[in-house]
Amino acid sequence: MPSFWRLQALLAKIETVYGTDPTPTGAANAILAEDVRVMPMEGQDVTRGFERPYMGARPTIAAGLHAKISFKVEVKGSGTAGTVPAIGVLLRSCAMAETIVAATSVTYNPVSSAHESCTIYFVNDGTNYLFKGARGTFKYVMSAQGVVYLEFEFTGLFTQPAALAMPTATYGTQLTQMPQVASSANTPTFTIGAVAAVLRSFSLDAGNKVTPRMLVRSESILITDRSEMIDMQIEAVPLATYNPFSLAAAGTAQAISLIHGTGAGKICTLSVPAAQVQRPTGLAEQDGITEWPLKFVPVPTSGNDQFTIAFT
């Protein structure tokens, strides 16, 4: 009997002790994910280098084993202001701190130490692909008239896949609360500096450097650095209104604000206090209109403040 790909459940739970499975459950820890891709046995194949009196392939030994999983989730709040969204566990495992203001907001910002980790279960038709000690990186991706996503990639310690009964996944508002597409009505604010720009596409790459560190007596997945980058495409305007060329030449930093969603508990605000304008490398055309593909580098000012993602 074959395994059916569409029969799958993704669960994630923060670890109290690194690499120790906290046993996520379908009732409390289900993640409504799309486009799941699993690389369950990454590593190296070490060739045995002995000599023989005949030709032929040499056997190998699997080493440095770890596992990767990528997927995307809809960007939306829990539906209740101040209540942690289901994707909070994922952001926390990507070197982000979580700050909760009761009945008001849940905000995530990058941190440089004491990184949390999670255990991820990917259960596919009765087979569990287990990712312990998982840490990762993500992209915030928006396109006009499309669903807004967070695209995650996690690396975890390798564990042999094992049989596991399909969990009963409870998705709550992840499923019942419809995502709001990026539009003028649903995305009321997008500014670069003091300019309200017309946006076609936007991407913030957290740029975490995720490193499997496989040593004797210590195996772990670490986030050892980060290098954020923003890509966007906006309508070109007169240079008197906004001049990315002079700003790039001067190395000027601009504040970027992107607010998506309407209604309490459904709003996501991405704030970048200081994003250095990079050299524009070309022009684009859509519908006979000139557009600017632009890049920005979020830079810290006092540290760990390159950007925040707030759900309100």
Side-chain angles (χ1 to χ4, degrees):
M1 186 72 167
S3 295
F4 291 95
W5 176 246
R6 293 300 294 271
L7 301 181
Q8 56 182 254
L10 183 69
L11 317 177
K13 186 176 181 180
I14 289 291
E15 296 174 342
T16 302
V17 178
Y18 180 77
T20 299
D21 183 359
T23 316
T25 66
N29 308 114
I31 302 293
L32 191 66
E34 300 179 33
D35 294 344
V36 180
R37 298 174 184 270
V38 181
M39 293 148 279
M41 200 172 184
E42 296 289 279
Q44 300 82 43
D45 296 309
V46 179
T47 301
R48 298 179 65 191
F50 51 74
E51 301 296 341
R52 300 174 297 192
Y54 45 84
M55 295 181 181
R58 291 175 173 80
T60 61
I61 303 169
L65 295 180
H66 56 281
K68 290 186 176 183
I69 184 170
S70 64
F71 51 88
K72 62 184 184 182
V73 296
E74 298 165 346
V75 172
K76 57 187 179 184
S78 64
T80 303
T83 297
V84 175
I87 59 177
V89 59
L90 305 175
L91 289 169
R92 288 168 61 186
S93 301
C94 291
M96 302 284 283
E98 180 181 80
T99 302
I100 302 171
V101 179
T104 302
S105 64
V106 183
T107 303
Y108 298 88
N109 66 275
V111 290
S112 298
S113 60
H115 298 153
E116 295 185 278
S117 61
C118 68
T119 287
I120 298 173
Y121 286 12
F122 176 68
V123 188
N124 176 217
D125 199 5
T127 298
N128 185 25
Y129 298 89
L130 174 62
F131 303 78
K132 294 190 293 185
R135 293 183 171 118
T137 189
F138 66 90
K139 293 181 181 180
Y140 179 106
V141 179
M142 172 185 288
S143 294
Q145 301 304 319
V147 175
V148 185
Y149 289 103
L150 282 168
E151 298 178 352
F152 290 95
E153 180 179 88
F154 283 94
T155 303
L157 301 171
F158 173 74
T159 302
Q160 285 286 349
L164 182 70
M166 287 297 296
T168 301
T170 301
Y171 296 111
T173 57
Q174 292 183 82
L175 186 60
T176 59
Q177 181 180 309
M178 297 293 288
Q180 300 179 28
V181 299
S183 66
S184 296
N186 297 329
T187 314
T189 300
F190 176 64
T191 58
I192 312 170
V195 177
V198 175
L199 179 67
R200 174 175 296 279
S201 61
F202 180 95
S203 172
L204 166 69
D205 187 345
N208 291 345
K209 183 179 180 181
V210 182
T211 304
R213 187 168 168 81
M214 303 298 172
L215 303 178
V216 176
R217 298 189 60 247
S218 177
E219 295 186 354
S220 59
I221 309 300
L222 302 178
I223 296 174
T224 56
D225 202 357
R226 67 163 53 90
S227 182
E228 300 92 340
M229 178 63 74
I230 291 173
D231 288 273
M232 66 175 71
Q233 187 159 319
I234 65 172
E235 279 190 0
V237 294
L239 297 179
T241 302
Y242 188 75
N243 190 333
F245 307 98
S246 64
L247 292 169
T252 303
Q254 302 264 276
I256 296 174
S257 177
L258 177 57
I259 301 176
H260 174 69
T262 60
K266 301 177 182 180
I267 301 169
C268 178
T269 300
L270 175 62
S271 299
V272 185
Q276 186 182 22
V277 186
Q278 302 294 283
R279 293 179 297 103
T281 57
L283 303 177
E285 176 271 330
Q286 292 284 343
D287 305 318
I289 304 298
T290 304
E291 297 185 354
W292 286 331
L294 300 178
K295 292 181 179 291
F296 294 78
V297 175
V299 291
T301 52
S302 58
N304 300 314
D305 55 358
Q306 297 95 307
F307 67 95
T308 58
I309 299 174
F311 295 92
T312 56

